[in-house]
Amino acid sequence: MQQTRMLVLCIAILFSGMAMAFTQPPFPRIATVNFSSPQNYDNAAFQAQLAKYNIAMLTIYPGWGGAMTMNQSVQAIKAINPQELVFLYISNNEILNNDAALAPLTNKINAMHWWLYPSGTSGTPVPSAYAGALEVNNTVFTRPDSNGDNWVSWYAKWAAQTYYVPNPSIDGFFTDNVFFQPRVNGDWNLAGVTDSNTNPTTGQWYRQGYKQHFAVLNQQMPGKYQLGNVTDWGNPGANLEIGR
């Protein structure tokens, strides 16, 4: 059985683009998070369940597909509830290790040495705080490729081309792990030493990376919304200036 979770929306809508014709629902705005398997978004009964909410967050990956495309599934949900906002899950800070579906990402990261390393840009990548994943250096310090893109801008463009262009009916992305401070230690600024994840300067570098992430998404997806999981931004000492 497909499991759904209902929550009062407590994520941030970040850097939305041009004004959209949308009637805002009254508070509380209820969202449903549906990232785990099975992702049977092409099932009519499940589409009807999803359509009961104000916001639905779905998962996607290269090669995802069923009886419907993702765009057709989203259109079916919106046909039931035209006011619903549907977002697709992305994350630019970690990649599941040895996941064949994510080979387009890991191949690029390997070639450019964009993993987070204890020191510099070689050696064994730092494991993510999420078991089974490796941490990517999603600051602005990673070296650019031949097109001038660092990891942050390259990934945002890749996500837009891979997930948004074929599925224009979505309302934007939900970017996970938009933390105030990173969860792991590593050489975030590529200075040859391991930086503490609790150092305020490290947190500043981390947030500056997300600032670029959302800026590029807005360029690639004008008129769409961007959500972020800002789970620890309400903690004491957190400053809501994302690039500060």
Side-chain angles (χ1 to χ4, degrees):
M1 175 182 290
Q2 174 73 44
Q3 298 295 315
T4 65
R5 286 193 293 158
M6 182 178 70
L7 67 159
V8 177
L9 189 62
C10 59
I11 51 185
I13 298 180
L14 299 171
F15 305 103
S16 59
M18 68 182 70
M20 299 175 65
F22 173 70
T23 302
Q24 296 186 6
F27 287 101
R29 298 172 187 173
I30 308 301
T32 179
V33 178
N34 298 270
F35 299 151
S36 61
S37 297
Q39 295 107 17
N40 55 338
Y41 311 132
D42 54 351
N43 179 276
F46 188 48
Q47 290 166 358
Q49 293 180 36
L50 293 173
K52 297 177 181 179
Y53 300 90
N54 304 124
I55 295 174
M57 289 175 279
L58 314 180
T59 197
I60 195 169
Y61 48 84
W64 183 94
M68 293 181 172
T69 66
M70 178 62 75
N71 199 59
Q72 290 170 331
S73 298
V74 173
Q75 288 175 331
I77 296 169
K78 289 176 175 284
I80 302 170
N81 180 2
Q83 296 301 315
E84 182 147 14
L85 300 179
V86 180
F87 295 85
L88 301 182
Y89 177 99
I90 63 173
S91 174
N92 80 349
N93 80 300
E94 60 192 11
I95 304 292
L96 286 173
N97 196 19
N98 298 321
D99 189 326
L102 301 178
L105 297 177
T106 54
N107 290 342
K108 181 70 174 183
I109 296 169
N110 286 335
M112 296 302 302
H113 300 275
W114 280 339
W115 297 111
L116 178 68
Y117 299 94
S119 176
T121 58
S122 62
T124 302
V126 174
S128 168
Y130 183 81
L134 298 177
E135 193 79 8
V136 188
N137 189 335
N138 60 347
T139 68
V140 298
F141 294 108
T142 54
R143 70 184 179 95
D145 64 9
S146 59
N147 293 319
D149 288 312
N150 60 15
W151 160 250
V152 176
S153 61
W154 183 90
Y155 176 78
K157 292 176 182 179
W158 178 89
Q161 289 296 313
T162 306
Y163 299 143
Y164 165 58
V165 171
N167 306 300
S169 295
I170 67 170
D171 294 285
F173 290 140
F174 167 83
T175 300
D176 202 1
N177 302 334
V178 186
F179 300 137
F180 190 74
Q181 296 278 151
R183 292 294 193 262
V184 296
N185 303 325
D187 188 2
W188 290 98
N189 68 337
L190 307 183
V193 296
T194 298
D195 305 299
S196 169
N197 67 302
T198 61
N199 187 312
T201 301
T202 306
Q204 182 183 42
W205 297 332
Y206 197 70
R207 297 190 298 276
Q208 286 171 343
Y210 274 117
K211 182 178 180 180
Q212 183 181 31
H213 168 78
F214 288 111
V216 176
L217 284 181
N218 282 329
Q219 293 169 359
Q220 299 291 307
M221 304 169 63
K224 298 294 182 176
Y225 296 113
Q226 302 299 332
L227 301 185
N229 178 0
V230 293
T231 177
D232 58 355
W233 283 52
N235 291 349
N239 187 304
L240 296 185
E241 298 178 41
I242 190 167
R244 186 173 184 274

